[in-house]
Amino acid sequence: MTARYNLLSPELKTNPYPAYAEMRRSAPVCQVDPGGMWAVTRLDDALFVLKNPQLFSSRGFGAATNPPWLGGNPFSESMITLDPPQHGRLRGLISRAFGASAMARMEPRVRAFAEQTVAELPLGEPVDIMPPYALRIPTSVIGDMMGLSPSLHARLKRWADLITGGVTTVRPDEHDRKQLARDAVAELRGCFGEVLEARRREPAEDLVSDLLQAEVDGEALTQGELIAFMALLLVGGIETVVHALGAALLVLLERPELWARLRADRSLIPAFIEEVLRYEPPVHAAPRTTTQEVELGGVTLPRGAPLLVLLGSATRDEAHFPDGDRFDLERTGPKHLPFGHGVHFCLGAPLARMEARLALDVLFDRVGGLSRGAEPMTWHRTLVVRGVGSLPIVLHPA
Ligand code: HEM
């Protein structure tokens, strides 16, 4: 390999997998553009990085999303940007409120959101399925989970975009974009603060009330930590599920026989979701920074080197997934990598799996088949996430 790959080039945005395969073969840890970050492309190296936070810190994530002009970003203070031991304290407090009983409590509500969403989809005419289905379900779920009024749900994705990509891609002279990001931070702080106040006065059977009551060794979450966690839910819980649903529909659009098989036997949906997440992982990269000089994949990385653990490459690593470019419902092999590994393993994995399962189950009830719309589909990519941007299709009634 000679030239550096640019992960954000139109070619890699549309199909990064040939480039990932070439990197795994000839330079498994190598610098990529933009910015010369070090890409980690093989599964074994990816696991090594994610298992060793003392060598590979998550702090850079926070710094990148918190430029001085913003005046503070709650996402940048959330646990995804922390290392042990600070990370463990927050995770301990939060994961109790995010456990199996919370998921069981949520399932009927998630199903109801999916049913309402699918009932309103137009049948027999072209529709870009992303906004009214793939985006609407996770925003309703996260908004509801946080106790926000439905009138605010449509704003959540915009806030999430502004406090991540909107902050990291802004140029010094783009004053209007800076103001938009500052406004988003102020607005979400205000709305989250109101919900916290309301639940303090009158606790309910919901996540926010559980978080307010969570205690470890007599210690509870501070107001700043609560708002940071809510900002993390916006960023971590919406676009990821949007891309999981977009990828599921794309796979099914290209495989009508698979659509018919799953529709007839819904018990196959969980295995289908796992393979969709391996084949088109919504999170293509987990960012880290080296805390000291370290040897990885035959390369000596200096202290402070920014890394991208390319989950999107590791899930196609031929050493673990034979014929990894083929979608295979019967595939065996490691399952959890699309949700990360180690201390930061996705807290929302059970919720994401539930949302995807119910969203598909309900769609199969009303829709008999899919076909492409006239317009071409588009891909969306940032350094961290990748997935379907728009997907014009026709839904045929059952
Ligand atoms: C298919 C959907 C999803 C995928 C593929 C996904 C993927 C991931 C990955 C790869 C990480 C680790 C990042 C790292 O190591 O730097 C992560 C962390 C996290 N995710 Fe998810 N996620 C999904 C859905 C969700 C949902 C629905 C929620 C919440 C409602 C959520 C909440 C979180 C949180 C809070 C963390 C941080 C955990 C920590 O720092 O300890 N995720 N996710």
Side-chain angles (χ1 to χ4, degrees):
M1 199 183 73
T2 47
R4 251 163 49 173
Y5 284 110
N6 183 342
L7 296 182
L8 300 185
S9 68
E11 195 188 342
L12 264 74
K13 195 176 185 178
T14 307
N15 182 8
Y17 300 111
Y20 289 172
E22 172 60 22
M23 287 189 260
R24 285 196 302 277
R25 241 185 334 266
S26 58
V29 175
C30 64
Q31 282 184 291
V32 289
D33 283 321
M37 297 176 88
W38 292 87
V40 180
T41 59
R42 288 186 184 162
L43 188 137
D44 291 339
D45 292 334
L47 292 182
F48 179 76
V49 172
L50 298 177
K51 269 190 219 166
N52 287 290
Q54 74 287 3
L55 295 176
F56 304 97
S57 165
S58 293
R59 288 274 183 183
F61 218 159
T65 49
N66 198 11
W69 56 260
L70 189 59
N73 182 348
F75 170 74
S76 317
E77 293 148 27
S78 72
M79 69 175 173
I80 204 166
T81 71
L82 298 179
D83 296 326
Q86 289 87 349
H87 168 266
R89 175 185 158 269
L90 281 186
R91 176 106 186 188
L93 281 163
I94 285 163
S95 54
R96 286 162 196 236
F98 226 80
S101 63
M103 292 303 106
R105 186 175 66 201
M106 286 191 66
E107 176 150 353
R109 298 186 67 82
V110 176
R111 182 176 280 281
F113 286 128
E115 279 170 351
Q116 197 184 341
T117 300
V118 168
E120 288 174 23
L121 290 174
L123 302 186
E125 60 183 84
V127 57
D128 172 7
I129 194 69
M130 298 308 286
Y133 173 78
L135 176 62
R136 185 168 160 195
I137 294 174
T139 37
S140 308
V141 170
I142 294 287
D144 182 65
M145 207 174 174
M146 293 199 283
L148 294 172
S149 109
S151 63
L152 287 173
H153 293 182
R155 274 188 235 176
L156 302 182
K157 170 78 165 50
R158 190 163 172 273
W159 286 348
D161 289 348
L162 283 169
I163 64 171
T164 52
V167 170
T168 51
T169 59
V170 84
R171 287 195 313 268
D173 60 337
E174 288 184 301
H175 301 295
D176 291 353
R177 286 188 65 204
K178 288 182 182 174
Q179 194 53 45
L180 281 177
R182 279 193 290 261
D183 291 347
V185 169
E187 228 186 326
L188 73 81
R189 273 194 209 279
C191 287
F192 295 171
E194 279 172 25
V195 173
L196 288 165
E197 232 5 84
R199 292 297 183 281
R200 263 193 201 104
R201 278 196 308 271
E202 207 175 315
E205 280 266 295
D206 63 12
L207 175 89
V208 176
S209 308
D210 288 352
L211 288 173
L212 283 166
Q213 281 150 26
E215 271 191 18
V216 169
D217 299 333
E219 248 198 289
L221 293 157
T222 64
Q223 177 85 352
E225 287 167 345
L226 286 161
I227 290 182
F229 180 62
M230 291 166 85
L232 173 58
L233 285 185
L234 285 190
V235 172
I238 297 181
E239 192 158 22
T240 49
V241 178
V242 171
H243 288 327
L245 293 178
L249 290 181
L250 185 61
V251 165
L252 290 171
L253 194 59
E254 288 163 355
R255 295 167 184 78
E257 69 300 338
L258 187 55
W259 169 278
R261 198 174 153 204
L262 295 183
R263 191 163 181 263
D265 181 358
R266 312 289 173 91
S267 71
L268 297 173
I269 294 177
F272 170 73
I273 293 165
E274 296 309 309
E275 179 64 352
V276 166
L277 294 175
R278 181 201 71 82
Y279 188 69
E280 291 291 6
V283 178
H284 263 235
R288 297 291 188 270
T289 312
T290 54
T291 58
Q292 60 185 66
E293 188 179 285
V294 52
E295 180 87 19
L296 186 71
V299 174
T300 305
L301 300 168
R303 177 165 188 258
L307 255 62
L308 284 173
V309 180
L310 287 186
L311 301 174
S313 169
T315 57
R316 296 219 184 184
D317 186 338
E318 35 291 288
H320 295 267
F321 302 102
D323 200 7
D325 289 336
R326 194 166 59 86
F327 187 91
D328 178 1
L329 191 61
E330 272 73 41
R331 186 177 289 283
T332 53
K335 289 271 186 271
H336 296 296
L337 201 60
F339 291 109
H341 187 79
V343 293
H344 289 283
F345 180 78
C346 178
L347 190 65
L351 176 62
R353 288 176 165 129
M354 185 215 293
E355 282 183 61
R357 171 172 56 80
L358 296 175
L360 289 173
D361 191 26
V362 168
L363 192 70
F364 287 134
D365 286 341
R366 180 157 185 248
V367 177
L370 310 176
S371 57
R372 278 198 187 273
E375 298 293 316
M377 66 161 293
T378 61
W379 288 96
H380 167 78
R381 172 151 203 172
T382 67
L383 275 181
V384 172
V385 295
R386 174 180 177 270
V388 172
S390 61
L391 186 60
I393 59 175
V394 180
L395 304 164
H396 302 285

